[in-house]
Every structure is written in structure tokens, then in C-alpha cells.
Amino acid sequence: MQLKDPTLFRQAALVGGDWIEADPANSIAVDNPATGEIIGRVPNLGAEETRSAIEAARTAQVEWACRTAKERSVILRRWYELVMASQDDLGRILTLEQGKPLAEAKGEIAYGASFIEWFAEEARRLYGDIVPGHQKDKRILIMKQPIGVVAAITPWNFPNAMITRKAGPAFAAGCAMVLKPASQTPFSAIALAILAERAGLPKGLFSVLTGSARVIGAELTSSPVVRKLTFTGSTEVGAELYRQSAPTIKKLGLELGGNAPFIVFDDADLDAAVEGALIAKFRNNGQTCVCANRIYVQDRVYNTFAEKLASAVDRLKTGNGFDEGVTLGPLIDGNALAKLEEHVADACGQGGRLLAGGRRHQLGGHFYEATVIADVTPMMMVAREETFGPLAPLFRFKDEADVIAQANDTEFGLASYFYAKDLARVFRVAEALEYGMVGVNTGLISTAEAPFGGVKLSGLGREGSRYGIEEFTEIKYVCLGGV
Ligand code: ADP
């Protein structure tokens, strides 16, 4: 791989300010999901290194919290600038280990960096309150203080942005972070740590541990020093981490699975809805927790929308993310491929009608054709489970009440989308959807300025926006008497 700055690709982990190089005898191999080739190795660290990282974080955090907000902001701003200056290299590392098309990977680097930039700004606006006192000689002061040492566990689908969305606000608020990135995509995390070090983040404040998720996770969750756990991943693992965090009563930020409905009403601009569906469904090859999982189309426009979507999907190009013009990369691994195949077979076996794709791609490996299935019903697996792949299932609905009931009939509640023009309907539907996020006439909602998060089994807390930094603080009430 050609990098302008080859030092950004490092086969090492950062523990308490010290780099530990991968030892061939005890390391984890990382592969390129497009080719299956091993691209490098990272250390297989365990409980002992996790404890050292937590201890170093504890010490570093005390000093970091004493700095002025502006001092923290300046370092974060520098980190943001270094990330943007290395956007091409970081994008290449990301495509190599994750598979998404290079343009999309570079887009993720800019998106990820925007959280560092935003929280560098928010660092200086973490205001408290002075509340009118309840007695003449008393004053009520409310201050927001850093929660302390934070543990973060992140997934492979956004190897850069899922880290910056957590690390940005944590450092801005005055916290330290011990991060365990996904074992499929550690190199993007390591590159971020290299740049954080260059930006002047103090030694020990940020550790990146590679190794067994189970072992490192158990140590992070059981530590009384770690006051907050922030996790993005599956609901199953999120619930396990919730359980493990109970004895030490940690604050939790959980960004878990989704089962997003995407609703097309008959007054919608159909071309815009097709455009939105392509983004909401096929971005990252369908492997995002806000991907449209169930597409509901109203009777009157069903066939037209289905035809338009199928022909738009035919124009997508699947391939190696480094190849020119590719819009869809491989799936991350064999399990992802098997789940997708199961969903397609289940839907087709119960009367689903294939309008596009429906098979493994001729490229082999983990490649699968972009797929559209019509006549999908609530009995099929795709209605209940997150597919996490390039499959657009089309459900039919009669009226507003019917589709709201179907859309809300899930244990998840992360993102939802709908296309409509009638203003009263827009408000009614936006209010009725039981989701943390609603995209109206758009398929792309994530941004540093807005609160990202879900309800029900989709999680706890919000990332991004001014609310995102509050998650890394504790409120302290000071009652000032005798004044
Ligand atoms: P995904 O389906 O996106 O891979 P997972 O929830 O399996 O979602 O993984 C998300 C992150 O959680 C990854 O970094 C993974 O290594 C980590 N993880 C998986 N199992 C555990 C566990 N038992 N304890 C701690 N972390 C875990």
C-alpha cells in the first residue's frame, strides 16, 4: 500500500503512553476483506496490559482535567487538523482493512474528524448553572465535571468515526480513554492514536488496546476506576457489557442495533425517495446500524418505486474498494455473507420476488450482489432482524396508521426515514415513530451537530451535538450557605 506517510500504518498498540509492537508469536492477523490477504498483525494484549492502561489513564486524567478548556480545545483542534491533513492515507488504511470504497473511506475520515473539530469547540462551552436559592442566605451552584476514566469499545463498520465520536467529547470534557477497537479494523484506530500523540495529547491519556474483546472487555467493565463505558456494536454484546458493568455502577453509552423503516408515502417525490433509499440502504454496503432495513411503499406508488429502485441498484458497482468507480465493497466476513444469504433465501422461499441481484457476486470471496426483493411480508426474517448487507426488501402498505404500526413493531428504535410532502403528515408521522432519529425526505442524517442515538433495544445516550459532551460529565451541586 502506498502511503504518503508510511509511519501511520503501525503494527503496534499504545498502552499507557508506550507502544507495544506486535510479537509474531502472540499477535492477531488482520486481513483485507476484499482479497483475504493478511495486511498486518497487532499485539494480542490481555488483562495485565488493560490494567496498566487504566492506571496510566487515571494519572493522566487528573492533570488533563486541571487544564483550561481552551488548552484542551487547542490540542483537539490540532488533532483534527492532523487527521484532515492525512485524509488520503487514513482513507487508504481504512479501505484496506474494512473494504469500503476509497471515496467513502475518505468521506468517513472527514466525518470522523468533524467530531473532533466540533468537540474542540464544545470544550469551551461546558457551562454550569447558578439557580435561584431556596433560602435567603444560600446560593445553588451547578457545575459539570469530567466523569474520569472512560472505556470505549468500537465496531468495524466505521473504524474511524465510531472512535472520534467518543474520544472527541471525552477528551474535550477532561476525561481519559482506554479504547478497544474491533479486531477486524485496528489499524485505523492506531493511526488515530499516532496523530493524537503528535497533536500533543498527554502520555497515558489515550490507550489503544488490541486483543481479545472478551478478556479486555471483562477487565474494563470490572474496573472501579473506569467510570463510564461507551460502546457501539450489537445489542447482544451491549446487554452483556451492561450486565458486566452493573457491580461498579458505571455510566453507560450504548449505540446498538437498529431495524430502520424507510417509508415512501404516495405524495412523495419518488425520484428523491429512490435517491434517499440508495444512500440509506446501500451506504457501506448496507453495513451501518442506521441502514434502511425495511422499505415500506404505499400501494399506489409501489410498482413505480420498485422499478425505479431496481434500475438504480443495477447501476451500482460492486468490487474492490480501491478500484475506480466501485460503489459497493465486500461484506466484512463469512458470517455476514451467511446471514445475508439466509435472509434472501427466507424471503424468496416465502414468495418474495427478486427484482435485482440475489446471489453471491461473480467476484467470489465476500462479495454479494446488490439486491432488491419485492412482495416482502412481516413473516419474513428481514422484517425482524437487521440484515447488515446490500438487501432492500420492499413491503407494501395501505395507509398511514397501517405503516406506523408496522414500522414501530420492532424491539429496536434507532433511525427511521420517510418521504412525504404533506406538512401535517410530516409532523404526525415524525411524532409517531418510536425512534431516536427520523429522516424526513432525506436518507442521510448523521452529522456532528445532531444527537445520534436510539431508544428501546437500540441503546442509551446520544453522541454528537451539545448533548454528546454531557455524557462524559457528572453534575455537581454546590450549596453555598452563609452568604
Ligand atoms: P458487530 O456485529 O458489529 O461485530 P459486536 O457487538 O460483535 O458487533 O462487536 C462490536 C465490538 O464489541 C467489537 O469491538 C468486538 O470486538 C467487541 N466485543 C464483542 N464481544 C465482546 C465481549 N464479550 N466483551 C467486550 N467486547 C466485545
Side-chain angles (χ1 to χ4, degrees), residues 153-157 180-184 211-218 221 231-238 240-241 244 332-333 388:
I153 300 179
T154 54
W156 50 264
N157 61 346
K180 157 69 184 81
S183 296
Q184 294 96 328
S212 154
R214 200 162 281 282
V215 174
I216 295 171
T221 48
F231 169 76
T232 299
S234 63
T235 296
E236 192 188 356
V237 172
E240 174 59 27
L241 293 169
Q244 290 178 18
I332 191 73
D333 56 25
F388 238 63

Side-chain angles (χ1 to χ4, degrees), residues 10 39 54 61 111 143 159 192 196 231 294 300 396 453-454:
R10 188 159 183 186
I39 57 172
I54 294 170
Q61 192 267 327
Y111 169 68
M143 52 182 79
L192 272 173
F231 169 76
R294 299 167 289 155
R300 198 168 65 80
R396 191 185 289 268

Side-chain angles (χ1 to χ4, degrees), residues 80-256:
Y80 157 74
E81 282 163 3
L82 291 176
V83 170
M84 286 310 292
S86 297
Q87 185 180 8
D88 285 358
D89 282 351
L90 296 175
R92 286 183 167 277
I93 293 170
L94 206 162
T95 293
L96 190 70
E97 64 181 356
Q98 201 273 346
K100 67 178 68 176
L102 187 57
E104 215 177 304
K106 287 184 195 170
E108 181 183 335
I109 302 302
Y111 169 68
S114 76
F115 286 91
I116 306 177
E117 179 189 39
W118 170 264
F119 287 108
E121 294 158 359
E122 286 299 290
R124 300 174 69 189
R125 295 175 181 81
L126 201 50
Y127 303 137
D129 301 299
I130 299 178
V131 177
H134 57 303
Q135 285 166 354
K136 274 188 185 159
D137 68 339
K138 289 208 170 112
R139 300 292 182 272
I140 293 173
L141 315 182
I142 298 170
M143 52 182 79
K144 291 177 188 157
Q145 295 187 310
I147 194 160
V149 175
V150 174
I153 300 179
T154 54
W156 50 264
N157 61 346
F158 289 92
N160 174 288
M162 293 306 102
I163 295 171
T164 57
R165 236 160 52 158
K166 301 174 186 309
F171 296 141
C175 297
M177 177 170 279
V178 179
L179 166 71
K180 157 69 184 81
S183 296
Q184 294 96 328
T185 57
F187 291 114
S188 293
I190 292 162
L192 272 173
I194 292 168
L195 294 174
E197 214 176 29
R198 287 184 198 166
L201 212 65
K203 210 172 150 69
L205 197 75
F206 187 28
S207 285
V208 178
L209 299 173
T210 53
S212 154
R214 200 162 281 282
V215 174
I216 295 171
E219 200 61 37
L220 290 171
T221 48
S222 63
S223 167
V225 176
V226 173
R227 294 314 317 145
K228 165 154 181 143
L229 171 73
T230 168
F231 169 76
T232 299
S234 63
T235 296
E236 192 188 356
V237 172
E240 174 59 27
L241 293 169
Y242 206 156
R243 267 192 294 277
Q244 290 178 18
S245 299
T248 49
I249 317 288
K250 287 188 209 323
K251 185 158 167 163
L252 289 166
L254 301 174
E255 298 290 352
L256 309 176

